Amino acid sequence: VQLQASGGGLVQAGGSLRLTCAASGNTYSAVVMGWYRQAPGNQRELVASITRNGYTHYAAFVNDRFTVSRDNAKNTLYLQLNSLKPEDTAVYYCAADFQLTPVPRPSTSWGQGTLVTVSS
């Protein structure tokens, strides 16, 4: 599966962004899709994931600020980011696999990443 992420940008603290990830090719393995992020000097961490039937999982730091969704008919994944904080600044990567784990699996497919910068 090929993934193309978009929607990042510069936003002030408290603002919102919507990330989009379009999947193409063989989407058979995209049972679970989700978003990771990586800030400079930090490891890549799982932000949120959603299964093909809509079951969602969020990292504790999300604290009800973000919403992950997917449109299976359009093979598209979304991440709505609300109440953004400067510490949310990172490159956000969309991912797809049979399962997504806190430590990324070798089999996971990745998008190219989109930068989210939150100013204070």
Side-chain angles (χ1 to χ4, degrees):
V1 60
Q2 290 78 48
L3 303 172
Q4 181 74 34
S6 61
L10 173 64
V11 64
Q12 290 187 334
S16 299
L17 283 173
R18 190 192 197 201
L19 308 184
T20 300
C21 177
S24 60
N26 186 351
T27 59
Y28 173 76
S29 63
V31 174
V32 183
M33 297 185 73
W35 296 90
Y36 289 75
R37 70 184 187 183
Q38 187 167 18
N42 290 357
Q43 292 187 337
R44 194 169 295 190
E45 59 183 356
L46 181 60
V47 177
S49 63
I50 183 168
T51 67
R52 193 166 276 154
N53 60 8
Y55 179 79
T56 58
H57 171 79
Y58 295 93
F61 61 78
V62 170
N63 200 21
D64 293 329
R65 300 180 297 128
F66 303 166
T67 302
V68 64
S69 59
R70 66 190 285 178
D71 184 331
N72 291 328
K74 296 181 179 180
N75 289 323
T76 304
L77 173 73
Y78 306 96
L79 184 66
Q80 178 67 42
L81 305 169
N82 296 328
S83 302
L84 283 162
K85 305 174 182 179
E87 51 264 42
D88 294 318
T89 295
V91 177
Y92 285 70
Y93 297 90
C94 59
D97 204 340
F98 289 101
Q99 64 181 92
L100 296 181
T101 53
V103 176
R105 294 164 16 120
S107 59
T108 297
S109 298
W110 298 98
Q112 85 283 10
T114 184
L115 177 62
V116 172
T117 303
V118 185
S119 62
S120 57

